[in-house]
Structures are given as structure tokens and as C-alpha cells.
Amino acid sequence: MNSEELFNESKNYMPGGVSSPVRSYKPYPFFVKEAKGSRIYDVDGNSYIDHCIAYGPMILGHSDEKVSKSVFDAIKKGTTYGAPSENEITLAKEVVNRIPCAEMVRFVNSGTEATMSAIRLARGYTGKNKIIKFEGAYHGAHDYCLVKSGSGAATLPDSLGIPEDTTKNTLSVPFNDEEAISNLILKEGEDIACIIMEVVMGNIGCIEPKKGYLEFLRKITEENNIVLIFDEVITGFRLAKGGAQEYYDVTPDIVTLGKIIGGGYPMGAFAGKKEIMEMIAPNGPVYQAGTFNGNPISVNAGIATLNQLNENFYNNLNEKGQYLRKNIKDIVEDLNLDIMPVGLGSMFQIYFNPKDVLNYEDAKNSDSGRFFEYFKELLKNGVFIPPSQFECNFISSKHSKEDLDLSLEAIEKSLKAVF
């Protein structure tokens, strides 16, 4: 069956024919046959250079041999235990050694679980109820954070099924706006448990913090007994060995991790200062549990992934990112287009917007319709990116110079086609 036939069948059994809304686009998404290295292959016989890479986790590319071997070895010993295993300690040590704020870690099964649990922990630790998030930031599909969210939720209204009482304690402010945070904390500070933030807004495209903004947030949270949570589900282990907090040299109280930490398998984690983390059960009164927490398959994949991410790895990967972004910028300038290429490290995006994008409101002014036409043209030219203006694109270590040059050719052709 081809992708169209599979999609028509899938709609009979899965809402919208997909298992996650971000995978849906008109007239129908392609269905994957396999993926290897920098490429993904569909059932229709097409090959694409993959700059979605499963929305970020495949930093080593698809089907990395060392990760695959670690998984095969683990499967032979059982798929889940319901009891601790030594490799959990190995991976926990790796997280603690790499992440500046991490003194203890709890493994969970997804980024959504990590952020939900981190917020609960911050509330338990401070004894306060309100949280601050930034407009356009996506912190998973749980009730507390589906308020002015990014990612797939950016194109939809806030979800039905969430009681007002659940979100009344969730306060949203614009990103990169010091005055908005200062005024809100002045008004509500005694009741605010935490600020949770994507250090780089990777779920609304790719927006960096202004110079000094993270330092400002660190100072104001310390002064007001507010827990600072860095959501590094995307940036964790991508920008540097220690994630965005190492990259920007600002240390939060708690970090949430996902995607790369599982090496392509279901995995998340939250980590932080010992005095905070020891509030988690069984040591403390903040409850968190999960049958698949510390699953041996995901743990092995995580260890095999992180073992390959050394300083030389990041130097090489970030050089590739710099090369790609510089050439995208040159293409945009040569074509005299009023759009904004952005990115850092191995992350990139083009805002179909003539102005700098500093927050959610700026991003919403982008031409998402034209961006989707660009996405479809890229597919025709053999490049796959997320089908939304409000997502980030990535490269992996398996993207070769030839891959990047072919991507640049496809980007130039596609931009010419839609402008």
C-alpha cells in the first residue's frame, strides 16, 4: 500500500490517522518504510535527507550501530524488570557529570512526564501553587502547561478537557521581556512556585534568549524563592555536553530532559539540586512513579548515545550547523527575500517573517501558509523538515557535507518556487 492508501485506512482506527497531531498535514503525510543515517525512506519509494530527525532525538542519525547493538544486547536480558538495574546508576552518573545543575536524577518515560513532575516537585518544595511559563513554550501535553503553547498546539486553541481550576495557577508572559516578569513577580511573587522555560524556544521555531535575559531570570528567582526550571527536552545534550545551561553558563535549580537522553527510545528525566530532588518519593512527600521508569532498553540506548557525545563531537556537529546556516543566509540574501534565517548549534529554522522574532507574538506574524508551501517544495526536492513554521529543524552527526550541500540546493529551489 502507498502512503495515501495507508492514511485512508489509518483514519478508521486512529484520530486523524496519526498518533500525534504534529505528524498530520494535508493532503496526507508520507508513511515511513525505514530510516538510516541522515535519510528517511517512505513506502512510496522516496528518499529524503531528514532534518526533522524525529523532532530532535536522533543526534547520531537513524539506526546508529552502537545504539542498536546496546539495545539488542539489553533485549536478550529482558525488556523490563520492575526492579532497579545497575545501568540506571551508570546513566544517572553520566547525567550528573554532564549537567551543571544535576546532583540527583529521576528517570521517567517522556519529556511530558519530566516537565509535569518537575512542576509538581517545585510546588512541593516551595509550598506555593502558581507557575510562570512563557507564551509559545511547549512543555508537553499535560494540563498545567497547555496554555498559550507552542509546537502543534500553536496552530490550535487551548485544549478542551482542561478545567479552569487546573490552569488558573498557570501564568503566561512574553519571552525576552524583563519588565513583564518583574511586574508579574511584584504582583504574584509570594504565590509563585517556579518559572519553567525553554532556554531556546524550540517549539515555536527557534528563538534564543536575549543577552543577559537568563542571568536576569536567575537573579530574580533567587531573590523571590522561586524555583527556576530549564526545560531542555530539546536542547539537553544537543547544544553542548551540559546542554543549554552549559552553553549559556547559567545554572537553574531543575532541568527536564528527553529526546536525546533515550537515544531514540522512550525516555525522559528531571534532575536538580539534591535538597530539591530528595523531596521526591520514596525519600520525600512529592510522589512520582512509573512502571517503565528506568526501562533497561531505553537506559542502554541512552548510555550508548551519551558515550559518543564528547567535545570533539560537538565541535564537528556545530561546525556543520554553522556551515548550513551561513549558506541559508547567503541564499536568502542572494534571492533578496524578506525572511529571517535563525538558529544555533545544530538547530535551524527560517521564519517567513520580515522582522526579528523575539517571542510568540512575533512568531505568529510569520506567513505560515507560505511556509507550508515551502515544506511541500522541500519534500519534492528530497528534504524532510517538520511541516510547521512553529517547529525547529536539526542536523545529526550522520549528515555529511554532501547532505548539507544537497539540502542547500533544495532550500534554494524551494524558496524560488514559493516567492
Side-chain angles (χ1 to χ4, degrees), residues 79-100:
T79 55
T80 193
Y81 306 138
S85 66
E86 185 176 351
N87 277 346
E88 290 176 63
I89 305 171
T90 302
L91 185 56
K93 284 181 179 177
E94 198 66 41
V95 172
V96 169
N97 289 338
R98 286 170 178 261
I99 303 289

Side-chain angles (χ1 to χ4, degrees), residues 135-190:
E135 295 172 0
Y138 178 74
H139 301 295
H142 54 89
D143 291 1
Y144 297 146
C145 287
L146 281 180
V147 178
K148 292 190 177 180
S149 292
S151 190
T155 57
L156 299 168
D158 291 342
S159 177
L160 295 179
I162 301 175
E164 272 186 41
D165 281 351
T166 301
T167 57
K168 71 180 181 182
N169 289 317
T170 301
L171 311 173
S172 293
V173 293
F175 190 58
N176 277 323
D177 188 333
E178 292 187 15
E179 185 178 0
I181 284 283
S182 296
N183 289 341
L184 185 55
I185 289 177
L186 186 64
K187 180 182 177 184
E188 305 273 6
E190 291 186 1

Side-chain angles (χ1 to χ4, degrees), residues 21 37 45-46 48 133 137 165 173-174 177 215 284 295 360 392-393 399 403 414:
N46 299 306
Y48 308 96
K133 71 175 289 287
D165 281 351
V173 293
D177 188 333
E215 290 83 355
N295 176 265
Y360 184 44
C392 191
N393 311 318
H399 283 83
D403 287 329
S414 300

Side-chain angles (χ1 to χ4, degrees), residues 280-293:
I280 290 287
N283 278 17
V286 178
Y287 196 73
Q288 196 288 323
T291 297
F292 293 101
N293 284 6

